[in-house]
Amino acid sequence: MRHAFLQLGSAAMLAAVLTGCGGGSSDPVAPVVVTPPTVQAAIAAAAAVVANDAASNSSAPFTVLQGAGVPAVTVNSTPKVNFAVFSDGAVKTGLVISNVSVAIAKLVPGINGNPDEWKNYTHRLRTAATASATGVYTDAVRATLTTPKFPSSLQATTDPKQTDAALLAAQLVYNPDGYYTYTFRTDIKNPAWTATVGGVAYSTNGVTFEPGLTHRVAIQLSYTNAAGETVRVNPYFDFTIDSNGNAVAVTDAAKTRKMTDVSSCNSCHEKLALHGGGRVDTQFCVMCHNPATTDPNSGNNLPLATMVHKIHAAKLLKSKAATGGGEIFTVRTDDFSEVGFPQDLRNCTKCHSASNPATPQGDNWKTRPSKEACLTCHANKTDSDWDTSHQVFARSTDVWAGATTTSVAKDLPNSACAACHKPGSNISPERVHWNQNEENAAKYKMNIDSATYDAATRLVTVKYFVSDPTNGDAAYSLLTNPSACTLNTSGANAGKVRDCNNTRFGNLKFYLAYQSLPGQSTAVTEFSSFNNGGNTAYACLFEGPVTTGSSPTNACTATAVNDGSNHYTVQVPVPTDTATSVAAGTARIVSVGQVKEPKLQVKWATDPRPEAVPAALVNVVVQNAYKELALSGTLTPRRTVVATEKCNACHGALGTTSGSNTLAEAFHGGARNRVEACVMCHDANRSTSTIMSNGLALFESHQFKRLIHGIHGNSKRTAPFTHGNKVIGPFSKEGVLLANGVGSALSSATVSAPLGTLFEPWSTSTVFVTGTAFASDVENYAAEVAWPGRTLNSPVGINCNVCHIDNSYKVDRGPLGAVVAKPILGTTLKADPNPMNWMVISPKAATCTACHDSPKAIAHVTSFGNAAFGNRTQTQSILTQEICADCHSSGGFKGVDIVHGQK
């Protein structure tokens, strides 16, 4: 191609000369000489283009050379790869062989329903790993890890480096024109090629060279940019080989295979960085994670689709292992069985969509089902939504050649999958992965027109309607059938609705939260009422058989009034002030709940889908809303700290599913789907019956900030953040008691207090000894939740703004301490009802120690930070100023952004 530039220039020059000699002009025209740009000039010009920076452009290192007439790859002997690296507006020089690892693979088109498959030309034998002697595993996992399936197994890999010094020096060469040439050691033209490097056997594993097929070359590349930061990227290039052995770029998207884009992964993982941090692009991952790669420890075959699906469904698979078909999924000595995809597993488009130009094959999951992908989640015989015929077929052989009455899905060809689950059928993947709970959420939106407070009547009046955004925001009639509701039949609430959960709109409520602690400052809004006697301030939102009353228990508090256009008014009573709860400051009204729809048929080819038989109801997400109002003083909206939209980058629809990937496991039944509601109930008074697992005789706080940091920050914690623990003693991250402890048996229905107990009682009826593991009903978030994004160990530190808004993490403005104990009054074994006397962790310490929970960290905040950790009352905490900001304010020498390693 470089010669073509020269020929073009010569032709242009000749044309110009001929034009000047003819045409009848009396004045000769000076010849125009067109000089082709040199390779050096083309590379220099490309380096100046910001969009070509290798840190963000995965193709420029190759395409710039192709455009300048230098083939990115030549295969006349062992392959040679030419590439340029652009960084900070210049050509990056000085790379050495340790900065690069290179792989080359061909794409073999799938036939008979099989998926297209990358086949790497380089393989190695991988020896089984040895399980950690100190690791804590279940018996099933330990057996897998300590007894490898194979002593070694074959795995696709990158090209090995030369061992001869002269050959190694020549393996990566910088050319004066501004690009590098890497020379492969693997002879991809020889299917019998072998080599031993560092005692490891490498080979081509019989893979034959097919120049006409699409090939891919990719580089694991690292270098230092102008800011001194290490950049790790995986440039890649898809091509075929012409008769001269030179690369020809593949420009037809149909002739490659891009099922997922790393940007989808990074919406949760921020920057996917595996195998030491160098593998950062799924287009590189697929070159080694193909059917030629097997884990010797577990025996699991590790194509990317199979491995990634099983990792993200591992908790679900573990839950079904006992019933046959599930499994404890491990790779080498890593146990993934506690990993759960943080949204519904049917949300395939989270990772796969052809609407993304970077993934032209993103819709293959709809059109080309395969057992390698599908059987990773659908692995259980007893799965209610997995037809039992997939385990034992009784189908005629005219459908699937060779199928018999004893055929099981894993033994059938992929052509069988394609024949049955074809597009347009009632069981096509797109149809059966339909998620009514989230899909139909587009039809329901809560709208709050106004919220006002009348101090004389102590009523908050809310005007609202529920609309259908898919139908011009038409307002729904919220009339509820009284016969479907449960009524209180006696007492002060006789005739009032207790339960309408089995009606369409009967689960919708408004909750009201406000500032309630006596003497609490209203300068900074912090809701405190929900766990201080105010949790009955709510109203149901339907038209139903409800009578008006004040502060009822377990009953809807008012009748919703329809103005005739399906716009409603409801009144929420503010509870009467008491010595320990005084309504003041800014309040918030928020809608919670779901719509109950008739369950629709999943296996149905057309829309609208009919109702399922037998009839059932299913929760559907409502786009909830909130509004703030002043009960006294000036309206001071609560600070915005995090955003629901940021939560949903991982969670899809916050609150609708959990890591178990089922609605049944969703927190609060899926009724809470925005953080503005979370902070109302998870207020500073939210003390639980869960005892801290760091050995202190304190209850854990589930104040929202502490709960969320504790769950997501388990990788930093020394003791696990749990729910349900009732044992006083220090625990390991795996959930094993490190020293003897005492506490209540988890199944005990009664609780008594030992002599000398100052706080809320717990039992000493059971003594737990060192090595005791958590009971099965304790949620050990350290095992179940791992923050998928950047951590303190990443090169650029943890990114707090993944959740936080506008750097809100830099200043904790919370005015109240997190309650962790309640003093006992006398010998009655009853807790002091005055929340100002409850023992707390002071505000800033409550945030920081949710992740930094070691004894050293707690001692630091209490000594240097003048903070409290269960040793001050709420009153004392309010009157005592923490001095953490003296060192940790943003811009300080130990600013919170600096200590989190952010750059």
Side-chain angles (χ1 to χ4, degrees):
M1 189 177 292
R2 189 176 180 184
H3 295 300
F5 273 106
L6 296 174
Q7 292 167 0
L8 176 61
S10 299
M13 186 186 304
L14 177 60
V17 171
L18 292 175
T19 300
C21 294
S25 173
S26 59
D27 297 318
V29 177
V32 177
V33 178
V34 179
T35 304
T38 63
V39 172
Q40 186 178 50
I43 291 175
V49 178
V50 174
N52 286 331
D53 197 296
S56 58
N57 190 321
S58 59
S59 62
F62 301 108
T63 56
V64 167
L65 290 182
Q66 284 281 120
V70 179
V73 183
T74 59
V75 188
N76 288 317
S77 54
T78 55
K80 291 182 183 293
V81 180
N82 300 310
F83 64 97
V85 179
F86 307 121
S87 180
D88 304 295
V91 173
K92 181 67 181 177
T93 61
L95 297 184
V96 296
I97 191 65
S98 59
N99 294 125
V100 300
S101 292
V102 189
I104 190 168
K106 66 179 180 180
L107 181 63
V108 179
I111 58 174
N112 296 326
N114 292 319
D116 299 343
E117 176 187 323
W118 290 103
K119 282 196 174 182
N120 203 309
Y121 284 101
T122 307
H123 300 78
R124 67 172 177 179
L125 276 177
R126 184 73 180 270
T127 303
T130 302
S132 167
T134 58
V136 179
Y137 310 103
T138 65
D139 291 342
V141 171
R142 180 173 292 283
T144 299
L145 301 184
T146 57
T147 309
K149 187 78 171 179
F150 310 114
S152 62
S153 63
L154 202 65
Q155 296 186 346
T157 188
T158 55
D159 182 60
K161 303 298 196 308
Q162 297 284 357
T163 49
D164 177 83
L167 293 175
L168 181 63
Q171 197 164 12
L172 182 69
V173 176
Y174 181 71
N175 301 285
D177 281 341
Y179 66 93
Y180 295 87
T181 298
Y182 176 89
T183 302
F184 267 72
R185 182 170 185 172
T186 305
D187 183 359
I188 71 172
K189 286 188 170 183
N190 180 6
W193 174 87
T194 61
T196 300
V197 181
V200 177
Y202 287 81
S203 71
T204 47
N205 190 34
V207 177
T208 59
F209 177 56
E210 297 180 84
L213 293 182
T214 295
H215 283 64
R216 176 175 292 171
V217 65
I219 305 174
Q220 182 178 326
L221 174 65
S222 68
Y223 59 90
T224 303
N225 65 14
E229 300 164 335
T230 299
V231 177
R232 294 184 174 91
V233 289
N234 298 151
Y236 69 94
F237 183 63
D238 291 350
F239 61 95
T240 56
I241 302 293
D242 67 16
S243 58
N244 296 317
N246 295 327
V248 177
V250 171
T251 57
D252 183 352
K255 293 185 177 179
T256 185
R257 189 172 196 264
K258 298 179 183 179
M259 289 283 295
T260 190
D261 182 53
V262 74
S263 63
S264 298
C265 308
N266 288 343
S267 63
C268 283
H269 292 282
E270 290 191 82
K271 186 173 178 64
L272 195 68
L274 304 169
H275 298 284
R279 314 288 169 81
V280 297
D281 196 320
T282 52
Q283 305 310 325
F284 188 34
C285 300
V286 294
M287 297 179 69
C288 292
H289 283 284
N290 52 53
T293 294
T294 299
D295 171 40
N297 285 73
S298 63
N300 289 324
N301 194 232
L302 301 178
L304 193 66
T306 299
M307 181 182 73
V308 172
H309 284 179
K310 283 195 175 185
I311 288 175
H312 288 82
K315 187 175 180 181
L316 180 67
L317 293 174
K318 176 187 177 183
S319 71
K320 298 182 177 184
T323 56
E327 65 178 301
I328 304 296
F329 186 68
T330 61
V331 178
R332 293 185 72 73
T333 60
D334 293 320
D335 174 13
F336 293 99
S337 62
E338 293 293 347
V339 176
F341 191 46
Q343 55 182 279
D344 198 295
L345 276 170
R346 293 171 294 180
N347 295 347
C348 303
T349 54
K350 171 63 179 173
C351 300
H352 304 294
S353 176
S355 63
N356 181 352
T359 55
Q361 285 74 40
D363 282 350
N364 276 15
W365 69 273
K366 300 178 183 179
T367 59
R368 301 185 67 177
S370 68
K371 59 186 179 183
E372 290 83 0
C374 300
L375 294 183
T376 54
C377 297
H378 298 286
N380 195 310
K381 295 177 183 178
T382 61
D383 192 341
S384 61
D385 61 359
W386 179 233
D387 189 339
T388 55
S389 66
H390 288 79
Q391 297 299 327
V392 180
F393 281 94
R395 306 295 181 102
S396 62
T397 56
D398 62 345
V399 178
W400 301 307
T404 69
T405 55
T406 58
S407 294
V408 293
K410 67 183 180 63
D411 298 325
L412 290 172
N414 280 318
S415 57
C417 304
C420 190
H421 295 281
K422 56 183 176 292
S425 70
N426 67 326
I427 53 172
S428 68
E430 184 176 15
R431 299 301 292 181
V432 297
H433 284 90
W434 183 68
N435 178 0
Q436 184 175 350
N437 173 243
E438 293 180 35
E439 293 282 351
N440 280 3
K443 302 192 302 181
Y444 303 103
K445 180 183 178 183
M446 173 60 70
N447 305 272
I448 301 177
D449 292 324
S450 65
T452 57
Y453 176 59
D454 184 341
T457 61
R458 297 184 70 86
L459 292 173
V460 173
T461 300
V462 189
K463 295 183 181 295
Y464 65 96
F465 65 101
V466 179
S467 66
D468 182 357
T470 68
N471 185 29
D473 266 337
Y476 287 102
S477 169
L478 306 183
L479 184 65
T480 297
N481 178 10
S483 64
C485 303
T486 302
L487 303 182
N488 286 287
T489 57
S490 61
N493 295 309
K496 296 175 184 175
V497 174
R498 186 174 74 238
D499 185 7
C500 277
N501 284 344
N502 290 327
T503 63
R504 188 179 188 188
F505 297 107
N507 201 27
L508 298 181
K509 294 182 178 68
F510 277 141
Y511 279 131
L512 178 71
Y514 47 89
Q515 301 183 132
S516 68
L517 297 186
Q520 178 181 349
S521 169
T522 58
V524 177
T525 297
E526 184 75 359
F527 306 125
S528 53
S529 63
F530 194 86
N531 297 287
N532 185 25
N535 59 347
T536 53
Y538 73 87
C540 296
L541 307 185
F542 51 80
E543 297 177 77
V546 185
T547 59
T548 304
S550 64
S551 304
T553 301
N554 196 24
C556 296
T557 61
T559 302
V561 178
N562 191 336
D563 69 358
S565 64
N566 292 332
H567 284 62
Y568 291 84
T569 299
V570 72
Q571 292 182 317
V572 184
V574 177
T576 303
D577 291 342
T578 67
T580 58
S581 180
V582 178
T586 295
R588 175 180 290 172
I589 195 85
V590 68
S591 67
V592 298
Q594 322 90 344
V595 166
K596 290 280 188 176
E597 284 189 343
K599 185 176 182 179
L600 301 181
Q601 180 61 259
V602 172
K603 298 176 183 178
W604 202 263
T606 59
D607 291 319
R609 298 171 185 259
E611 294 186 15
V613 178
L617 294 175
V618 63
N619 287 341
V620 174
V621 174
V622 177
Q623 301 169 52
N624 285 322
Y626 75 99
K627 190 173 284 290
E628 291 176 330
L629 62 150
L631 301 185
S632 66
T634 303
L635 180 68
T636 306
R638 190 186 188 277
R639 62 203 176 279
T640 300
V641 181
V642 296
T644 301
E645 293 74 20
K646 292 192 173 189
C647 302
N648 287 343
C650 284
H651 290 283
L654 185 66
T656 58
T657 56
S658 72
S660 295
N661 311 299
T662 60
L663 185 62
E665 297 294 332
F667 51 86
H668 302 297
R672 317 291 195 268
N673 57 51
R674 62 184 309 157
V675 294
E676 288 83 4
C678 300
V679 298
M680 293 173 62
C681 300
H682 288 279
D683 62 25
N685 293 329
R686 191 74 169 187
S687 178
T688 71
S689 60
T690 294
I691 298 174
M692 289 186 184
S693 57
N694 58 7
L696 297 178
L698 297 171
F699 287 113
E700 186 54 85
S701 164
H702 279 186
Q703 184 181 12
F704 188 59
K705 64 180 182 180
R706 188 164 176 85
L707 174 76
I708 297 303
H709 282 116
I711 291 174
H712 291 86
N714 262 308
S715 60
K716 177 62 180 173
R717 290 175 61 95
T718 56
F721 191 82
T722 65
H723 177 68
N725 173 39
K726 295 185 179 180
V727 178
I728 304 172
F731 285 84
S732 70
K733 292 283 283 294
E734 291 80 12
V736 172
L737 192 64
L738 299 176
N740 289 355
V742 297
S744 65
L746 294 170
S747 60
S748 174
T750 60
V751 178
S752 60
L755 293 177
T757 298
L758 297 178
F759 307 121
E760 268 188 321
W762 42 71
S763 172
T764 56
S765 60
T766 303
V767 176
F768 294 84
V769 297
T770 303
T772 303
F774 273 118
S776 60
D777 55 351
V778 172
E779 291 285 335
N780 177 7
Y781 295 114
E784 297 173 354
V785 179
W787 177 245
R790 287 162 24 189
T791 68
L792 287 173
N793 298 323
S794 72
V796 290
I798 193 169
N799 181 9
C800 300
N801 281 326
V802 166
C803 298
H804 284 268
I805 292 291
D806 298 329
N807 292 320
S808 61
Y809 74 93
K810 292 184 178 181
V811 181
D812 187 336
R813 301 187 187 280
L816 300 179
V819 174
V820 291
K822 298 178 182 179
I824 297 301
L825 293 178
T827 60
T828 63
L829 297 183
K830 292 184 178 180
D832 187 336
N834 187 350
M836 301 306 289
N837 295 335
W838 296 345
M839 312 305 289
V840 302
I841 307 174
S842 50
K844 292 178 174 58
T847 302
C848 298
T849 59
C851 294
H852 304 279
D853 70 323
S854 68
K856 182 178 180 180
I858 293 172
H860 174 83
V861 299
T862 53
S863 58
F864 293 99
N866 199 30
F869 200 94
N871 58 333
R872 290 185 196 143
T873 66
Q874 188 72 266
T875 296
Q876 292 169 330
S877 177
I878 290 173
L879 296 175
T880 306
Q881 183 177 359
E882 294 172 295
I883 58 173
C884 308
D886 289 355
C887 294
H888 298 298
S889 62
S890 183
F893 80 105
K894 287 288 186 180
V896 65
D897 47 353
I898 294 174
V899 297
H900 283 105
Q902 297 185 19
K903 297 180 181 177

mmCIF file of all heavy atoms in Angstrom, residues 424-428 431 601-607 609-610:
data_model
loop_
_atom_site.group_PDB
_atom_site.id
_atom_site.type_symbol
_atom_site.label_atom_id
_atom_site.label_comp_id
_atom_site.label_asym_id
_atom_site.label_seq_id
_atom_site.Cartn_x
_atom_site.Cartn_y
_atom_site.Cartn_z
ATOM 1 N N GLY A 424 -39.229 -15.535 16.910
ATOM 2 C CA GLY A 424 -40.629 -15.529 16.517
ATOM 3 C C GLY A 424 -41.463 -16.599 17.183
ATOM 4 O O GLY A 424 -42.690 -16.546 17.144
ATOM 5 N N SER A 425 -40.785 -17.572 17.833
ATOM 6 C CA SER A 425 -41.534 -18.627 18.509
ATOM 7 C C SER A 425 -41.908 -18.174 19.910
ATOM 8 O O SER A 425 -41.384 -17.190 20.428
ATOM 9 C CB SER A 425 -40.691 -19.906 18.582
ATOM 10 O OG SER A 425 -39.614 -19.735 19.494
ATOM 11 N N ASN A 426 -42.794 -18.922 20.532
ATOM 12 C CA ASN A 426 -43.227 -18.548 21.880
ATOM 13 C C ASN A 426 -42.156 -18.809 22.927
ATOM 14 O O ASN A 426 -42.281 -18.356 24.067
ATOM 15 C CB ASN A 426 -44.513 -19.284 22.259
ATOM 16 C CG ASN A 426 -44.293 -20.772 22.405
ATOM 17 O OD1 ASN A 426 -43.491 -21.377 21.698
ATOM 18 N ND2 ASN A 426 -45.025 -21.384 23.322
ATOM 19 N N ILE A 427 -41.111 -19.545 22.561
ATOM 20 C CA ILE A 427 -40.025 -19.793 23.512
ATOM 21 C C ILE A 427 -38.688 -19.299 22.957
ATOM 22 O O ILE A 427 -37.636 -19.839 23.280
ATOM 23 C CB ILE A 427 -39.944 -21.281 23.900
ATOM 24 C CG1 ILE A 427 -39.860 -22.182 22.657
ATOM 25 C CG2 ILE A 427 -41.118 -21.685 24.784
ATOM 26 C CD1 ILE A 427 -39.592 -23.638 22.991
ATOM 27 N N SER A 428 -38.755 -18.287 22.116
ATOM 28 C CA SER A 428 -37.501 -17.664 21.688
ATOM 29 C C SER A 428 -36.863 -17.013 22.904
ATOM 30 O O SER A 428 -37.563 -16.598 23.842
ATOM 31 C CB SER A 428 -37.762 -16.617 20.611
ATOM 32 O OG SER A 428 -38.458 -15.508 21.150
ATOM 33 N N ARG A 431 -38.385 -13.784 24.130
ATOM 34 C CA ARG A 431 -39.708 -13.866 24.737
ATOM 35 C C ARG A 431 -39.646 -14.426 26.163
ATOM 36 O O ARG A 431 -40.298 -13.919 27.063
ATOM 37 C CB ARG A 431 -40.644 -14.723 23.874
ATOM 38 C CG ARG A 431 -40.882 -14.202 22.469
ATOM 39 C CD ARG A 431 -41.490 -12.821 22.438
ATOM 40 N NE ARG A 431 -42.863 -12.787 22.946
ATOM 41 C CZ ARG A 431 -43.611 -11.685 23.003
ATOM 42 N NH1 ARG A 431 -43.106 -10.523 22.586
ATOM 43 N NH2 ARG A 431 -44.840 -11.731 23.467
ATOM 44 N N GLN A 601 -48.415 -14.452 30.614
ATOM 45 C CA GLN A 601 -47.776 -15.633 30.058
ATOM 46 C C GLN A 601 -46.405 -15.271 29.493
ATOM 47 O O GLN A 601 -46.286 -14.355 28.674
ATOM 48 C CB GLN A 601 -48.654 -16.235 28.962
ATOM 49 C CG GLN A 601 -48.088 -17.475 28.305
ATOM 50 C CD GLN A 601 -47.897 -18.606 29.303
ATOM 51 O OE1 GLN A 601 -46.786 -18.844 29.764
ATOM 52 N NE2 GLN A 601 -48.987 -19.294 29.624
ATOM 53 N N VAL A 602 -45.375 -15.938 29.948
ATOM 54 C CA VAL A 602 -44.024 -15.687 29.446
ATOM 55 C C VAL A 602 -43.827 -16.372 28.102
ATOM 56 O O VAL A 602 -43.335 -15.770 27.141
ATOM 57 C CB VAL A 602 -42.967 -16.167 30.464
ATOM 58 C CG1 VAL A 602 -41.575 -16.076 29.859
ATOM 59 C CG2 VAL A 602 -43.046 -15.334 31.736
ATOM 60 N N LYS A 603 -44.219 -17.629 28.010
ATOM 61 C CA LYS A 603 -44.025 -18.387 26.774
ATOM 62 C C LYS A 603 -45.161 -18.055 25.804
ATOM 63 O O LYS A 603 -46.122 -18.810 25.658
ATOM 64 C CB LYS A 603 -43.981 -19.883 27.078
ATOM 65 C CG LYS A 603 -42.823 -20.274 27.986
ATOM 66 C CD LYS A 603 -42.869 -21.746 28.356
ATOM 67 C CE LYS A 603 -41.752 -22.110 29.310
ATOM 68 N NZ LYS A 603 -41.805 -23.536 29.721
ATOM 69 N N TRP A 604 -45.016 -16.900 25.174
ATOM 70 C CA TRP A 604 -46.046 -16.430 24.262
ATOM 71 C C TRP A 604 -45.379 -15.641 23.158
ATOM 72 O O TRP A 604 -44.516 -14.803 23.418
ATOM 73 C CB TRP A 604 -47.081 -15.578 24.993
ATOM 74 C CG TRP A 604 -48.382 -15.507 24.271
ATOM 75 C CD1 TRP A 604 -48.807 -14.529 23.434
ATOM 76 C CD2 TRP A 604 -49.417 -16.487 24.309
ATOM 77 N NE1 TRP A 604 -50.055 -14.828 22.942
ATOM 78 C CE2 TRP A 604 -50.454 -16.032 23.472
ATOM 79 C CE3 TRP A 604 -49.569 -17.703 24.978
ATOM 80 C CZ2 TRP A 604 -51.630 -16.757 23.281
ATOM 81 C CZ3 TRP A 604 -50.724 -18.419 24.787
ATOM 82 C CH2 TRP A 604 -51.754 -17.952 23.944
ATOM 83 N N ALA A 605 -45.770 -15.877 21.920
ATOM 84 C CA ALA A 605 -45.035 -15.321 20.778
ATOM 85 C C ALA A 605 -45.443 -13.911 20.398
ATOM 86 O O ALA A 605 -44.703 -13.210 19.708
ATOM 87 C CB ALA A 605 -45.197 -16.243 19.566
ATOM 88 N N THR A 606 -46.634 -13.475 20.811
ATOM 89 C CA THR A 606 -47.136 -12.173 20.354
ATOM 90 C C THR A 606 -47.568 -11.314 21.530
ATOM 91 O O THR A 606 -47.780 -11.796 22.645
ATOM 92 C CB THR A 606 -48.331 -12.353 19.402
ATOM 93 O OG1 THR A 606 -49.373 -13.068 20.081
ATOM 94 C CG2 THR A 606 -47.917 -13.103 18.140
ATOM 95 N N ASP A 607 -47.718 -10.029 21.252
ATOM 96 C CA ASP A 607 -48.251 -9.082 22.233
ATOM 97 C C ASP A 607 -49.664 -8.681 21.833
ATOM 98 O O ASP A 607 -49.957 -8.601 20.641
ATOM 99 C CB ASP A 607 -47.346 -7.844 22.314
ATOM 100 C CG ASP A 607 -45.994 -8.158 22.926
ATOM 101 O OD1 ASP A 607 -45.962 -8.925 23.917
ATOM 102 O OD2 ASP A 607 -44.973 -7.650 22.419
ATOM 103 N N ARG A 609 -49.567 -10.144 25.764
ATOM 104 C CA ARG A 609 -49.496 -11.470 26.367
ATOM 105 C C ARG A 609 -50.754 -11.723 27.196
ATOM 106 O O ARG A 609 -51.225 -10.831 27.901
ATOM 107 C CB ARG A 609 -48.267 -11.570 27.277
ATOM 108 C CG ARG A 609 -46.930 -11.399 26.557
ATOM 109 C CD ARG A 609 -45.801 -11.287 27.560
ATOM 110 N NE ARG A 609 -44.526 -10.997 26.918
ATOM 111 C CZ ARG A 609 -43.565 -11.899 26.671
ATOM 112 N NH1 ARG A 609 -43.766 -13.158 27.026
ATOM 113 N NH2 ARG A 609 -42.439 -11.544 26.097
ATOM 114 N N PRO A 610 -51.308 -12.917 27.137
ATOM 115 C CA PRO A 610 -52.486 -13.218 27.960
ATOM 116 C C PRO A 610 -52.073 -13.494 29.400
ATOM 117 O O PRO A 610 -50.887 -13.681 29.702
ATOM 118 C CB PRO A 610 -53.047 -14.482 27.294
ATOM 119 C CG PRO A 610 -51.839 -15.154 26.723
ATOM 120 C CD PRO A 610 -50.921 -14.045 26.276
#
